Each structure stands twice: as structure tokens, then as C-alpha cells.
Amino acid sequence: AGEMHARAGAWDRALACYEQARQWIAAARAAQQLGQSAKAAQLYERAGDPGAAVDALQKAGLPVAPELLHRARRFEQAAQAWQAAGDRLRAAEVREHDLGDAAGAALLYFQARAFLPAGRLYEQLGDPEEALHAYLAAPDGQFEALRLQLALGRAEEAAALVRGLPPEALERLEDEATVARVSQALLNGGHVADAIRLLQAARRRGLDGGAVHLLLGRGFLAQGLPDLAEEELAVATRLPLEPALELEATYLRGCTLEAAGRSSEALETFHGLLQKDFSYADAEVRYRRLKELCPAAPP
């Protein structure tokens, strides 16, 4: 019946018949014949052809929703439509995931105040300065900024960032290597109390490796607390450490024991150190001096 009405030019009757028969493509074409472009677009969508729906609307000069453009895989037009509508976040997502336009997406994310994905894309684009700018603008972007500062070798900047963090924020640092690198930067910069605060917060969370104990020992020594330092260094020497850090922990413990008047223990510690590296700092001189004080000692 629909075909007969169509051949007779009775498009309104043809449309009704096609809809009753659920022949959506034919119904959409009949709607277009009647100048009902919006209805035609709806029918094309029901038929699963969003591209034809877009074409019908655009041919009639009617606005096309960005969602429909996206379903029709007209990604560039969809991104532009969302941007024109003020939805920069959705436009950024289309540019990133559908168009592979990282630079355009990064800018739109930043404009949409989605600073973390903006920073991530700027990193991918090899623009660390823009990435840092984005991370630092994000309320929860300090740790991404910290990671990037460390990756760039900017220990002082990383340390300054840590000093500005509230105590509760330190509880979110979950990587022991990051904790160690930042703490070392703090110690090297003379910010001993901040380093101890960071290390102790890490240890409360179970980050209890040799490097953490070594750095705590350094911190306590700098604060004039040799008894606390010796305890941490003793633990550090019993835990796995990189060779250079193992030597440092042993040396510092020996110095601490010597300063505390525990000469035989210091002598034994320096003896073990010299067996691993005879030229380490002034360990040989300290060993010989202690040997004279403790001639009966086994070493």
C-alpha cells in the first residue's frame, strides 16, 4: 500500500503505511518528500543510519545535535558543535579519543578546567612546562607535579612542593622511591624537619625499606639526635640497599657509634666497611684511630 501511494505521489498516506509496516528508511524518504526533515532524521535514526539523519537535517539547514554527529562518526563536526555549545570537556574527549588530536584536546581540557588530563596530554606531547602548569592548577595535581619535577631532575623544586603540602597530603605518597628522592632533596637543601616529617609519614604507611631508615638516620644526625640516628642506621644496614647506600649507611653508623663512645662497635662497623671499600671517605683513618684505642678488639 505504501508503495502504491508513493507511486501516486500521495506521500502522506505512503508515510503512514511505511510507519505501520516499520519500514523506517522508506518512511524517512517519504517524510523528506513532504518536507518534514526533522521527522525524516528521526526515522533514519530508528533505522540505525545516523549518517543519513545528519544529511537530512543539514540538507534542510536544520541544526544537528553534537550527539547525533558523534553517532554518525562525524567527529570533527561533533567536536566543533560541542565546543560551540560551551561543552569543552566533551569536545576535548572527542579530539583525544576519536580524532587523535592530542594538542587540541589538551588545550580544551585546560580551558574546561580538567587540568589532570590536560597535564597528561602535555606530557605525552613532550611539553613538561605546560604539563606542570596544568598539574599545579589542579586541586589534586600536586603529586603529578611532584612526579614530573623528579623526572626532570628538579629536586629543589620537588622539595619546595613537598614543603607546601599539608600533613594529611603526605599520607597519599605511596611510592617508596619517590619518598626517598624527595626526602634526599629536602635534606640536601637543609630542610631537615620537613624530610623527617615525610619519612615518618611514609613509615607509618608501611614504606619501611632500607633507604627510608638511612635517610631518617641522616635527618636525626642533622638534628643533633645521634641515639635516634644510630637506631635507624642499624636497621638500614640490615635491610637490602643499593651498594652506594649500603656503604653510606655503614659509614654513618660507624661515625655515630664512634661519637657515642662505643668504640668497639664502631671499630667493627668500620672494619666491615673497609672490607667492601677500602677508600671510602675517611673510614681508614677512623679505623686506625679506633684500633689504637681498642687494641684487643677482634678486628
Side-chain angles (χ1 to χ4, degrees):
E3 293 298 316
M4 292 177 65
H5 286 306
R7 284 197 294 271
W11 291 108
D12 53 345
R13 295 180 181 179
L15 174 58
C17 289
Y18 288 141
E19 286 191 279
Q20 289 184 34
R22 304 177 69 83
Q23 297 297 308
W24 308 122
I25 294 293
R29 291 171 179 163
Q32 283 185 290
Q33 289 291 334
L34 292 167
Q36 299 177 15
S37 299
K39 183 175 181 63
Q42 294 174 353
L43 291 165
Y44 278 127
E45 282 203 82
R46 295 192 69 175
D49 191 346
V54 169
D55 291 338
L57 291 170
Q58 291 181 335
K59 185 176 180 180
L62 295 173
V64 184
E67 293 85 356
L68 177 56
L69 289 165
H70 191 260
R71 288 196 297 274
R73 303 185 66 80
R74 311 285 177 88
F75 297 131
E76 181 63 41
Q77 294 180 50
Q80 293 177 4
W82 264 309
Q83 187 173 352
D87 193 344
R88 291 187 175 89
L89 180 60
R90 193 69 184 91
E93 291 170 347
V94 173
R95 291 216 167 271
E96 179 184 6
H97 301 297
D98 298 313
L99 292 169
D101 178 10
L107 178 60
L108 286 168
Y109 276 131
F110 194 91
Q111 292 174 345
R113 304 185 66 79
F115 298 118
L116 289 180
R120 171 176 52 78
L121 286 180
Y122 280 126
E123 274 198 82
Q124 292 176 13
L125 290 164
D127 193 341
E129 298 304 327
E130 284 298 328
L132 278 173
H133 183 51
Y135 289 144
L136 292 172
D140 54 349
Q142 299 97 327
F143 292 107
E144 291 299 324
L146 177 60
R147 175 189 55 76
L148 184 53
Q149 295 280 31
L150 290 171
L152 294 170
R154 300 176 182 177
E156 280 298 318
E157 290 85 344
L161 191 58
V162 170
R163 292 200 304 275
L165 292 175
E168 61 272 14
L170 297 179
E171 301 296 333
R172 294 171 53 194
L173 268 178
E174 298 178 353
D175 177 56
E176 190 166 332
T178 300
V179 169
R181 292 173 68 187
V182 175
S183 301
Q184 186 157 356
L186 289 167
L187 289 171
N188 293 343
H191 307 289
V192 179
D194 291 311
I196 292 174
R197 178 171 66 104
L198 174 59
L199 290 162
Q200 289 182 326
R203 198 168 60 178
R204 286 194 297 272
R205 297 193 308 282
L207 303 181
D208 208 28
V212 170
H213 288 282
L214 167 59
L215 292 166
L216 268 173
R218 282 182 55 188
F220 286 138
L221 280 176
Q223 291 288 74
L225 299 168
D227 51 342
L228 294 178
E230 196 279 324
E231 291 177 15
E232 297 295 337
L233 294 167
V235 175
T237 56
R238 295 194 296 268
L239 293 173
L241 280 171
E242 296 178 10
L245 296 181
E246 182 183 356
L247 294 174
E248 180 186 0
T250 305
Y251 174 78
L252 289 177
R253 183 170 184 244
C255 294
T256 306
L257 290 167
E258 182 181 7
R262 297 161 62 180
S263 301
S264 60
E265 293 178 77
L267 179 65
E268 183 179 354
T269 300
F270 284 124
H271 179 263
L273 176 61
L274 291 173
Q275 287 182 318
K276 296 176 181 177
D277 188 341
F278 188 78
S279 61
Y280 193 89
D282 60 347
E284 181 192 357
V285 175
R286 290 176 180 272
Y287 172 77
R288 293 185 184 280
R289 183 170 61 238
L290 288 166
K291 185 69 173 173
E292 292 176 1
L293 293 174
C294 309

